Amino acid sequence: MQNYSDKLETAISYTFTDRQLLLQALTHKSFSNEQAEFVPHNERLEFLGDAVLELVVSDWVFNRYPDIPEGGLTRIRAEVVSEKGLFQVARQLDIGAVLRLGKGEQRSGGREKPSLLADALEALLGAIYREGGFSAVDLVIKKIFCEMIEKSALLRYGSDYKTYLQERL
């Protein structure tokens, strides 16, 4: 696991000082539940990471795209912070390789489940925020989400075809 976590840290351009915090971010509750003693899992860090991610992406698109109205900014942010968007980034970072899962989750393909990988990515961002503060997580988010934000900004409606249809009608 050490080799994979080193690769992950290289990919996000952030090195954890507190290795236990990184381990917690990569620990699913199913793993924690199977241990004889309590092992901290990533749900609380996921909660924090979700909020930090929304703030950073909101601020970024607000400042970067001054001509896009509020609805467009909301659409871009929604595309990026959606489970689908998070899953894509988590797969690129190969978070599944370092995720600690319980036996049942492993057998059921947990390392490839969009929800688990998206949650783990949010937990990782929460851990970076806890250790390095806002400026550290801001840099990481901008690095790993830049391409997705740029693509989302170029699309007028993104994957929200329902809104497109309603506006056309």
Side-chain angles (χ1 to χ4, degrees):
M1 181 161 164
Q2 180 65 41
N3 191 27
Y4 285 116
S5 61
D6 289 346
K7 282 176 46 180
L8 176 62
E9 288 176 315
T10 299
I12 64 173
S13 299
Y14 184 84
T15 302
F16 279 87
T17 303
D18 183 352
R19 305 304 288 176
Q20 290 303 310
L21 190 58
L22 172 60
L23 200 57
Q24 180 180 350
L26 300 172
T27 301
H28 186 258
K29 190 174 185 177
S30 64
F31 179 89
S32 179
N33 289 340
E34 291 180 359
Q35 306 309 304
E37 295 181 18
F38 177 74
V39 173
H41 54 80
N42 64 10
E43 286 184 353
R44 287 176 50 85
L45 289 171
E46 174 196 339
F47 167 80
L48 185 59
D50 175 60
V52 171
L53 177 62
E54 281 219 19
L55 176 60
V56 170
V57 172
S58 297
D59 184 61
W60 188 7
V61 298
F62 180 86
N63 290 316
R64 186 162 174 91
Y65 304 105
D67 298 331
I68 296 178
E70 181 266 341
L73 298 176
T74 299
R75 183 199 49 78
I76 295 168
R77 181 184 63 205
E79 292 248 340
V80 174
V81 304
S82 69
E83 181 179 291
K84 180 182 174 187
L86 292 168
F87 173 64
Q88 289 174 358
V89 172
R91 286 206 56 190
Q92 289 171 354
L93 296 172
D94 200 18
I95 287 179
V98 291
L99 196 54
R100 296 195 318 167
L101 300 171
K103 292 177 181 118
E105 279 296 343
Q106 285 185 49
R107 283 193 298 270
S108 67
R111 295 190 190 287
E112 291 297 319
K113 284 185 181 174
S115 61
L116 294 187
L117 293 177
D119 292 349
L121 178 55
E122 287 177 332
L124 181 65
L125 297 173
I128 293 167
Y129 174 75
R130 291 281 304 180
E131 182 178 272
F134 187 80
S135 60
V137 78
D138 182 62
L139 290 172
V140 170
I141 290 171
K142 287 177 179 173
K143 175 184 173 39
I144 65 177
F145 285 93
C146 178
E147 185 178 327
M148 181 180 291
I149 291 173
E150 296 298 322
K151 285 181 181 177
S152 294
L154 292 174
L155 301 172
R156 181 163 180 201
Y157 296 101
S159 60
D160 186 6
Y161 300 111
K162 182 179 175 185
T163 299
Y164 174 72
L165 178 62
Q166 288 172 332
E167 288 181 8
R168 297 287 295 169
L169 293 173

